[in-house]
Amino acid sequence: NMLQYIKIALNDNDSSVRIAAVKTLGNTKTETAKKMLMGELSNKDFPSKEFTEKKDFYEVIANWQDRDVKDFLLSTLNRRTFFWNKKSDEIKACAANALGMMGDKEVIPFLEKATNTRNALLKNFANAAIKRLTS
């Protein structure tokens, strides 16, 4: 089964292998692939990945454009953190970017709220997502 090999590749030591695996998952657009990807995004070790890899993973999940994904991204964007953490702001920026890619204007108020942060990365990605949704 192809998905078994992809699951193995998602845990490879080489980030380029992991990114290729996630893009392959995105191309299948199956419910199983979506669940695998959401599992990866929810993994406690995921925040420690490089920002560009996190961004790629989040851009792939945006391919599904369904309620589950939108709710997952909104909960990620709105997640409260008890202490400031660069990695959590990176994850929120990735979620904002993915929400902008989904094309659903309903999320604009949540993105606007996210622009009220001191974190430049999150602010920039939330603003870019709003711009994308309103242009």
Side-chain angles (χ1 to χ4, degrees):
N1 182 325
M2 178 186 75
L3 288 177
Q4 289 172 307
Y5 293 108
I6 293 172
K7 190 155 184 67
I8 292 166
L10 285 171
N11 295 308
D12 197 274
N13 290 333
D14 184 340
S15 68
S16 63
V17 172
R18 293 190 302 267
I19 290 167
V22 79
K23 288 182 176 175
T24 302
L25 269 182
N27 291 334
T28 68
K29 285 199 176 173
T30 64
E31 193 64 23
T32 305
K34 178 178 80 173
K35 285 188 169 80
M36 279 175 68
L37 186 51
M38 287 171 81
E40 284 299 312
L41 295 175
S42 303
N43 185 314
K44 66 177 173 47
D45 297 327
F46 186 78
S48 64
K49 292 185 186 310
E50 287 299 313
F51 176 70
T52 52
E53 183 175 355
K54 287 187 276 212
K55 188 171 166 280
D56 283 343
F57 273 61
Y58 273 89
E59 286 176 354
V60 169
I61 197 73
N63 287 332
W64 271 268
Q65 300 200 352
D66 66 19
R67 188 87 221 172
D68 288 348
V69 171
K70 184 169 110 176
D71 290 347
F72 175 81
L73 293 173
L74 284 172
S75 75
T76 301
L77 182 65
N78 294 320
R79 187 173 299 140
R80 290 205 181 278
T81 46
F82 295 105
F83 47 92
W84 181 80
N85 174 335
K86 176 181 172 247
K87 297 294 183 188
S88 66
D89 282 338
E90 286 182 355
I91 295 277
K92 289 178 179 191
C94 292
N97 181 51
L99 284 163
M101 293 174 68
M102 289 180 72
D104 184 342
K105 287 179 170 35
E106 255 184 48
V107 303
I108 291 173
F110 300 100
L111 292 166
E112 286 172 339
K113 187 175 167 218
T115 65
N116 296 326
T117 178
R118 287 185 306 242
N119 182 272
L121 182 75
L122 176 53
K123 187 183 297 249
N124 290 342
F125 274 88
N127 278 318
I130 292 166
K131 194 172 185 179
R132 181 183 223 159
L133 290 169
T134 55
S135 61

